Amino acid sequence: MNKYRNVKCVYDGLKFDSKKEAQRYAELKVLEKCGTIQNLKTQVKFCIVPKTEKNRRARFYIADFVYTEKGVQTIEDVKSPITRRNPVYSLKKALVLVNYAEYNFVET
């Protein structure tokens, strides 16, 4: 059993961490096909802490989806209410909001 009781699955040849995430991907693909959104990408890495001089490795936030809607870049993550309260996720989200303010951030 996974930590958050999610069930990993494959949809359209891609692996997703949950059925909810796969369902959202299917919805976004329809929106992309209709022209509502453009440039849909999955599992996009954003550097939130760069590598330091003392060989400390960089830290990344991996967004579920990134796309453009009405000319605005959007980062979207599919999260359950329990995951949204996770302190590590909360910190990573805050770092993304500060470092990538030009993006619209959406949680579904």
Side-chain angles (χ1 to χ4, degrees), residues 3 6 9 12 20 25 45 47 58-59 73 76 83 99:
K3 183 176 175 180
N6 55 310
C9 62
D12 201 21
K20 184 178 175 182
Y25 174 76
K45 287 173 82 170
C47 183
R59 303 287 195 242
Q73 285 281 91
E76 182 172 326
T83 305
N99 292 321

Side-chain angles (χ1 to χ4, degrees), residues 50-59:
K51 182 178 177 180
T52 62
E53 298 169 5
K54 296 183 180 183
N55 293 326
R56 302 219 187 251
R57 65 185 176 100
R59 303 287 195 242

Side-chain angles (χ1 to χ4, degrees), residues 16-18 20-21 24-25 28 40-46 61-67 74-79 89 105-108:
F16 294 94
D17 288 335
S18 68
K20 184 178 175 182
E21 186 179 333
R24 182 58 182 155
Y25 174 76
L28 290 170
L40 176 63
K41 296 177 186 141
T42 61
Q43 302 299 304
V44 178
K45 287 173 82 170
F46 291 88
Y61 175 86
I62 301 175
D64 292 333
F65 309 108
V66 174
Y67 54 86
T74 299
I75 296 170
E76 182 172 326
D77 255 337
V78 178
K79 298 293 178 212
Y89 170 71
F105 189 91
V106 177
E107 290 176 320
T108 53

